[in-house]
Amino acid sequence: MAFYSFNNRFVAGLALTGFMLAAAGCQSSDNGVLNLGFGKKDTQAPPPPQDPKVLASQLRAYCPKVTLRDGTAFFSTYAKGSAKPRKKTDAAQDAAAAAQPAPDGTIVDPDRDPAKVIYQASITDVTRDCSNANGQLSMKIAVAGKVVPGPMFAPGTITMPIRVAVMHGTEVLYSQIHPYQVQVTDPSAATQFVFTDQNVVVPEPTAQDYQAFAGYDEGAPKAATNKPKGKRKRAAPATN
């Protein structure tokens, strides 16, 4: 009889526990620990984050960074050797003579001999300043550098071809070369210089994807000079 009474109490306890769990499950929500799918969803949950967009205020504050392209940070001028008259030779002999190696084995370009450097200029820093107005972006791009006298130094003025450009992908928005001059008089010290292009104006960007460049451009075409033309012979007047 004792065993039977124990079984009845055990079964009743299980039934009571099952009822309490069921009642708790009915009152729980989807945010409960068991996450059984009961209850209503929380409508106050924040929406998923969207892709960030550039605001108009950010575009107005955007100022493209200025960078130096490879090979545009240095510029050198060389002394020209005195041309000596020589007999005509074939092209092969001329090429062989121009390609004679130096004592260390390197081939020296006769037009870029380090021993004939007059000045060597270098760009040490670049910066910019921007402003927006009337749908346009105006930039002031500054270049700072120094000029160091070379072995063939002679006091005078060095003219450096400095190019400033702004690009949007492969599209050239602005490109200008400036023949900037610096007076060099001290052979024992470097001469500092600062050049500023204040006329850079491009369309106002719609995204932060402009690129600005500054540096030396030795390959810039020289300005064409107007040569005096010879006098044309006047045609003789027709006679009947």
Side-chain angles (χ1 to χ4, degrees):
M1 293 295 293
F3 179 76
Y4 178 77
S5 299
F6 174 77
N7 284 343
N8 287 338
R9 289 196 300 270
F10 182 75
V11 172
L14 286 178
L16 180 60
T17 302
F19 175 78
M20 294 176 65
L21 288 174
C26 292
Q27 295 176 359
S28 65
S29 65
D30 283 350
N31 295 329
V33 176
L34 296 178
N35 195 19
L36 298 178
F38 299 104
K40 296 181 180 180
K41 292 184 178 180
D42 185 6
T43 58
Q44 301 299 324
Q50 299 180 353
D51 294 337
K53 294 183 179 180
V54 180
L55 302 178
S57 58
Q58 293 175 316
L59 284 176
R60 285 193 292 270
Y62 168 60
C63 193
K65 183 180 179 180
V66 183
T67 57
L68 281 168
R69 283 177 169 169
D70 292 340
T72 65
F74 298 94
F75 173 75
S76 300
T77 57
Y78 299 85
K80 296 181 180 180
S82 57
K84 297 181 180 180
R86 60 176 181 174
K87 296 181 180 179
K88 292 183 179 181
T89 57
D90 57 20
Q93 291 178 350
D94 287 343
Q100 291 294 328
D104 59 357
T106 59
I107 296 178
V108 178
D109 184 347
D111 294 330
R112 293 182 175 273
D113 188 348
K116 296 181 180 180
V117 172
I118 304 175
Y119 313 106
Q120 185 176 58
S122 62
I123 295 175
T124 57
D125 195 14
V126 291
T127 188
R128 83 285 190 216
D129 180 63
C130 299
S131 61
N132 291 268
N134 302 322
Q136 293 182 321
L137 174 65
S138 299
M139 301 182 65
K140 295 180 181 179
I141 297 180
V143 175
K146 60 183 179 180
V147 179
V148 179
M152 302 297 291
F153 168 77
T157 301
I158 177 176
T159 302
M160 301 177 293
I162 300 177
R163 181 179 292 278
V164 175
V166 179
M167 300 188 67
H168 180 214
T170 58
E171 180 185 3
V172 179
L173 303 178
Y174 176 89
S175 181
Q176 184 67 41
I177 189 166
H178 306 271
Y180 185 64
Q181 294 185 337
V182 176
Q183 186 75 22
V184 183
T185 57
D186 188 352
S188 61
T191 300
Q192 308 289 333
F193 71 88
V194 176
F195 163 77
T196 304
D197 187 348
Q198 303 185 32
N199 302 313
V200 182
V201 179
V202 295
E204 194 172 40
T206 57
Q208 297 182 0
D209 55 358
Y210 279 8
Q211 290 180 299
F213 300 97
Y216 295 118
D217 188 355
E218 297 186 59
K222 296 181 179 180
T225 56
N226 295 324
K227 296 181 179 180
K229 299 179 180 179
K231 295 182 180 180
R232 295 182 180 180
K233 293 182 180 180
R234 294 182 179 180
T239 55
N240 293 331

